[in-house]
Amino acid sequence: NYKDFQAKPYYFGISLGLNQSDFKIYHSQDFIRNDSFSLAQGVTGPGFNLGIVTNLKIGEYFDVRFLPTLSFAERNIKYVPPGEKSLALTRKIESVFVELPFQVRYKSVAYHDFRLFLIAGVKYVFDVASDSRSRQASGLIKISPTDFQFEYGGGIQFFFPYFIFSPEFKVSQGLNNVLIYNEGLEQSTILEKVLSRTFTISLFFEG
């Protein structure tokens, strides 16, 4: 099976995945002076992905991959008042991302009908469900709808007669500060920088 697919210069497929997303929070100098919150932290939320795969083979061991994906995710920021954990406030941010990842994949030597691989790449992300421009959200901390992220991960390819099945895990780390600063909102002023983070497990079907 491996030899049949190895002869193809390119192929296509689909992907299904589950993700866990959160924010990496950096506090500002105003956080030390504020009396309202003793802690601001990112809280992980669940999600899932649906994607299309375009794979171009470059030599024996490398592929270039383009994987436009629709991703549903939930990320939260939790604010804890001093000594009152039960009164914590949570800003829930539910997103629908259009993701455009470009990846390079390095593949090991095949053993019978499977082989290991590593991936690395970058992606552009746009949140079509963002409330960053909504007037109704004027009293809430806002997150930018756009982001650039670096990705890395790995997985295994299994070669069947009619398709390639590949379970894969990857980590996505935001490169941009996605916080939309609001000097009139204390929940915003106590934060200096907010970065996106996502862990994804995907199943690929290609052929």
XYZ file of all heavy atoms in Angstrom, residues 106-154:
394
model
N 7.982 16.284 7.877
C 9.116 15.377 7.680
C 8.671 13.965 8.042
O 8.146 13.726 9.138
C 10.305 15.780 8.544
C 11.405 14.744 8.544
C 12.216 14.578 7.425
C 11.613 13.920 9.641
C 13.210 13.616 7.394
C 12.603 12.955 9.631
C 13.402 12.807 8.498
O 14.375 11.850 8.481
N 8.900 12.999 7.141
C 8.438 11.632 7.326
C 9.627 10.691 7.488
O 10.668 10.854 6.836
C 7.602 11.195 6.117
C 6.415 12.106 5.831
C 5.787 11.817 4.484
C 6.747 12.172 3.343
N 6.109 12.082 2.012
N 9.451 9.706 8.351
C 10.501 8.714 8.550
C 10.485 7.693 7.413
O 9.597 7.694 6.552
C 10.289 7.996 9.882
O 9.143 7.145 9.812
N 11.467 6.793 7.422
C 11.449 5.657 6.506
C 10.260 4.764 6.865
O 9.979 4.523 8.038
C 12.769 4.868 6.618
C 12.724 3.618 5.737
C 13.947 5.749 6.232
N 9.548 4.295 5.852
C 8.365 3.467 6.095
C 8.773 2.069 6.579
O 9.767 1.504 6.116
C 7.530 3.345 4.832
N 7.994 1.557 7.504
C 8.165 0.179 7.975
C 6.875 -0.556 7.670
O 5.826 -0.265 8.253
C 8.463 0.165 9.468
C 8.625 -1.229 10.034
C 9.784 -1.964 9.802
C 7.605 -1.807 10.773
C 9.936 -3.246 10.310
C 7.731 -3.094 11.282
C 8.897 -3.814 11.045
O 9.040 -5.089 11.540
N 6.936 -1.491 6.723
C 5.736 -2.144 6.206
C 4.753 -1.067 5.740
O 5.057 -0.325 4.819
C 5.122 -3.067 7.257
C 5.997 -4.239 7.585
N 6.298 -5.221 6.670
C 6.649 -4.572 8.721
C 7.089 -6.111 7.212
N 7.329 -5.749 8.464
N 3.604 -0.913 6.374
C 2.619 0.063 5.902
C 2.345 1.158 6.925
O 1.218 1.646 7.048
C 1.307 -0.644 5.536
C 1.307 -1.103 4.079
O 2.076 -0.540 3.277
O 0.538 -2.029 3.753
N 3.358 1.588 7.652
C 3.192 2.766 8.510
C 4.533 3.469 8.678
O 5.595 2.892 8.470
C 2.585 2.386 9.869
C 3.543 1.714 10.818
C 4.318 2.457 11.702
C 3.663 0.332 10.839
C 5.184 1.843 12.575
C 4.523 -0.290 11.709
C 5.293 0.465 12.580
N 4.456 4.739 9.054
C 5.659 5.523 9.342
C 5.305 6.706 10.222
O 4.149 7.148 10.291
C 6.338 5.995 8.061
C 5.535 6.976 7.236
C 6.290 7.335 5.963
N 5.476 8.133 5.067
C 5.831 8.402 3.808
N 6.952 7.942 3.311
N 5.056 9.140 3.040
N 6.307 7.248 10.895
C 6.134 8.394 11.782
C 6.404 9.680 11.018
O 7.087 9.687 9.982
C 7.095 8.288 12.970
C 7.049 6.993 13.784
C 8.108 7.021 14.881
C 5.668 6.779 14.379
N 5.893 10.793 11.552
C 6.180 12.091 10.934
C 6.159 13.198 11.979
O 5.556 13.074 13.054
C 5.192 12.405 9.800
C 3.759 12.551 10.230
C 3.272 13.762 10.709
C 2.875 11.483 10.143
C 1.946 13.912 11.092
C 1.547 11.613 10.523
C 1.084 12.823 11.002
N 6.827 14.294 11.640
C 6.832 15.520 12.429
C 6.355 16.659 11.541
O 6.632 16.674 10.331
C 8.234 15.835 12.948
C 8.862 14.812 13.908
C 10.313 15.199 14.199
C 8.069 14.721 15.197
N 5.643 17.616 12.131
C 5.159 18.775 11.375
C 5.574 20.067 12.062
O 5.772 20.109 13.282
C 3.623 18.765 11.220
C 2.937 18.803 12.597
C 3.161 17.571 10.416
C 1.514 19.286 12.550
N 5.694 21.131 11.265
C 5.919 22.483 11.784
C 5.386 23.455 10.744
O 5.433 23.187 9.537
C 7.400 22.739 12.043
N 4.858 24.586 11.218
C 4.319 25.556 10.281
C 3.727 26.763 10.964
O 3.851 26.939 12.183
N 3.086 27.596 10.169
C 2.424 28.800 10.668
C 1.008 28.827 10.099
O 0.720 28.195 9.076
C 3.174 30.091 10.261
C 4.538 30.151 10.929
C 3.313 30.177 8.749
N 0.126 29.583 10.786
C -1.229 29.717 10.272
C -1.799 31.088 10.607
O -1.439 31.690 11.619
C -2.140 28.613 10.802
C -2.492 28.688 12.271
C -3.443 27.558 12.654
C -3.780 27.577 14.140
N -4.665 26.449 14.519
N -2.680 31.531 9.721
C -3.461 32.747 9.942
C -4.836 32.324 10.441
O -5.442 31.381 9.918
C -3.592 33.543 8.647
C -4.567 34.688 8.732
C -4.235 35.862 9.396
C -5.837 34.581 8.159
C -5.140 36.919 9.472
C -6.743 35.626 8.228
C -6.384 36.793 8.888
O -7.288 37.830 8.967
N -5.331 33.021 11.467
C -6.593 32.666 12.106
C -7.508 33.887 12.130
O -7.074 34.987 12.497
C -6.355 32.174 13.552
C -7.668 31.833 14.219
C -5.430 30.968 13.561
N -8.774 33.693 11.748
C -9.768 34.766 11.826
C -11.024 34.233 12.492
O -11.567 33.199 12.091
C -10.117 35.305 10.434
C -11.109 36.437 10.473
C -10.714 37.705 10.851
C -12.441 36.226 10.147
C -11.627 38.753 10.902
C -13.359 37.260 10.195
C -12.946 38.535 10.578
N -11.487 34.935 13.522
C -12.672 34.543 14.287
C -13.907 35.220 13.698
O -14.130 36.415 13.902
C -12.483 34.930 15.754
C -13.643 34.479 16.633
O -14.563 33.811 16.115
O -13.628 34.792 17.837
N -14.727 34.451 12.987
C -15.917 35.020 12.345
C -17.036 35.269 13.347
O -18.019 35.947 13.026
C -16.424 34.105 11.210
C -15.391 33.975 10.113
C -16.801 32.723 11.749
N -16.913 34.737 14.572
C -17.942 34.937 15.601
C -17.510 35.948 16.659
O -18.147 36.064 17.700
C -18.271 33.602 16.272
N -16.448 36.700 16.387
C -15.918 37.630 17.384
C -16.917 38.744 17.706
O -17.607 39.258 16.822
C -14.621 38.254 16.850
O -14.170 39.280 17.700
N -16.979 39.108 19.004
C -17.826 40.237 19.419
C -16.990 41.485 19.692
O -17.427 42.390 20.395
C -18.632 39.867 20.669
C -17.737 39.544 21.868
O -16.497 39.646 21.743
O -18.274 39.186 22.933
N -15.783 41.536 19.107
C -14.876 42.658 19.373
C -15.416 43.992 18.883
O -15.003 45.047 19.366
C -13.511 42.392 18.731
O -13.632 42.256 17.323
N -16.344 43.972 17.925
C -16.918 45.214 17.410
C -18.354 45.438 17.870
O -19.007 46.397 17.453
C -16.876 45.205 15.878
C -15.455 45.153 15.312
C -15.470 45.212 13.802
N -14.122 45.179 13.247
C -13.842 45.219 11.943
N -14.838 45.278 11.057
N -12.591 45.172 11.531
N -18.829 44.568 18.730
C -20.210 44.664 19.193
C -20.353 45.708 20.297
O -19.578 45.729 21.257
C -20.683 43.298 19.701
O -21.951 43.402 20.302
N -21.338 46.553 20.180
C -21.597 47.544 21.227
C -22.122 46.885 22.494
O -21.916 47.388 23.593
C -22.601 48.577 20.715
C -22.076 49.454 19.577
C -23.102 50.494 19.173
N -22.600 51.350 18.107
C -23.306 52.340 17.558
N -24.554 52.591 17.990
N -22.783 53.073 16.602
N -22.791 45.766 22.332
C -23.326 45.063 23.496
C -22.214 44.518 24.384
O -22.443 44.244 25.561
C -24.231 43.913 23.035
C -25.472 44.380 22.291
C -26.327 43.212 21.825
O -25.906 42.071 21.881
N -27.533 43.508 21.356
N -21.009 44.364 23.833
C -19.882 43.849 24.600
C -18.944 44.966 25.060
O -17.801 44.718 25.409
C -19.104 42.836 23.763
N -19.437 46.197 25.093
C -18.587 47.339 25.437
C -18.057 47.269 26.864
O -17.011 47.823 27.177
C -19.358 48.647 25.226
O -20.527 48.669 26.040
N -18.780 46.582 27.765
C -18.335 46.473 29.150
C -17.550 45.210 29.435
O -17.298 44.889 30.607
N -17.143 44.481 28.383
C -16.407 43.230 28.546
C -15.027 43.345 27.912
O -14.825 44.124 26.974
C -17.167 42.077 27.887
C -18.578 41.790 28.397
C -19.225 40.729 27.522
C -18.552 41.344 29.845
N -14.089 42.575 28.434
C -12.773 42.527 27.820
C -12.904 41.956 26.412
O -13.664 41.018 26.173
C -11.806 41.686 28.673
C -10.399 41.740 28.070
C -12.286 40.268 28.831
C -9.354 41.087 28.949
N -12.169 42.522 25.457
C -12.307 42.121 24.062
C -11.011 41.516 23.545
O -9.918 41.920 23.928
C -12.705 43.327 23.201
C -14.094 43.867 23.516
C -14.484 44.985 22.561
C -15.894 45.491 22.851
N -16.310 46.555 21.908
N -11.190 40.534 22.654
C -10.086 39.811 22.049
C -10.113 40.043 20.539
O -11.169 39.978 19.900
C -10.188 38.308 22.357
C -10.097 38.060 23.862
C -9.111 37.529 21.615
C -8.788 38.484 24.501
N -8.942 40.307 19.958
C -8.853 40.543 18.525
C -9.318 39.328 17.734
O -9.019 38.183 18.109
C -7.409 40.873 18.144
O -7.251 40.927 16.736
N -10.033 39.536 16.623
C -10.505 38.390 15.836
C -9.411 37.756 14.978
O -9.607 36.670 14.428
C -11.597 39.003 14.953
C -11.201 40.437 14.816
C -10.557 40.815 16.120
N -8.264 38.411 14.820
C -7.202 37.881 13.965
C -5.980 37.490 14.791
O -5.703 38.084 15.837
C -6.783 38.908 12.902
O -6.273 40.090 13.544
C -7.960 39.290 12.027
N -5.267 36.495 14.293
C -4.069 36.036 14.991
C -3.178 35.284 14.011
O -3.655 34.720 13.020
C -4.465 35.124 16.155
C -3.326 34.888 17.143
O -2.307 35.600 17.057
O -3.457 33.997 17.998
N -1.878 35.284 14.297
C -0.917 34.423 13.616
C -0.351 33.464 14.647
O -0.013 33.874 15.755
C 0.208 35.242 12.973
C -0.209 35.977 11.726
C -0.650 37.291 11.798
C -0.168 35.354 10.485
C -1.040 37.972 10.659
C -0.557 36.030 9.339
C -0.993 37.343 9.429
N -0.225 32.192 14.277
C 0.213 31.181 15.228
C 1.278 30.281 14.628
O 1.283 30.019 13.415
C -0.982 30.335 15.696
C -2.070 31.135 16.386
C -3.239 30.283 16.840
O -3.227 29.058 16.718
N -4.278 30.911 17.374
N 2.169 29.816 15.497
C 3.186 28.824 15.128
C 2.701 27.459 15.598
O 2.159 27.335 16.701
C 4.525 29.171 15.781
C 5.574 28.120 15.598
C 6.163 27.912 14.361
C 5.975 27.317 16.663
C 7.130 26.933 14.179
C 6.941 26.338 16.500
C 7.521 26.152 15.254
N 2.902 26.422 14.767
C 2.417 25.088 15.086
C 3.539 24.058 15.000
O 4.441 24.171 14.166
C 1.311 24.667 14.118
C 0.067 25.527 14.153
C -1.046 24.961 13.302
O -0.802 24.729 12.100
O -2.149 24.737 13.819
N 3.453 23.052 15.847
C 4.380 21.920 15.762
C 3.695 20.693 16.349
O 2.781 20.792 17.178
C 5.684 22.216 16.511
C 5.508 22.565 17.964
C 5.547 21.581 18.955
C 5.290 23.891 18.355
C 5.381 21.899 20.289
C 5.122 24.218 19.703
C 5.175 23.223 20.651
O 5.004 23.541 21.976
N 4.112 19.529 15.895
C 3.492 18.291 16.374
C 4.033 17.082 15.648
O 5.106 17.110 15.034
N 3.275 15.987 15.720
C 3.702 14.748 15.093
C 2.564 13.757 15.018
O 1.455 14.001 15.509
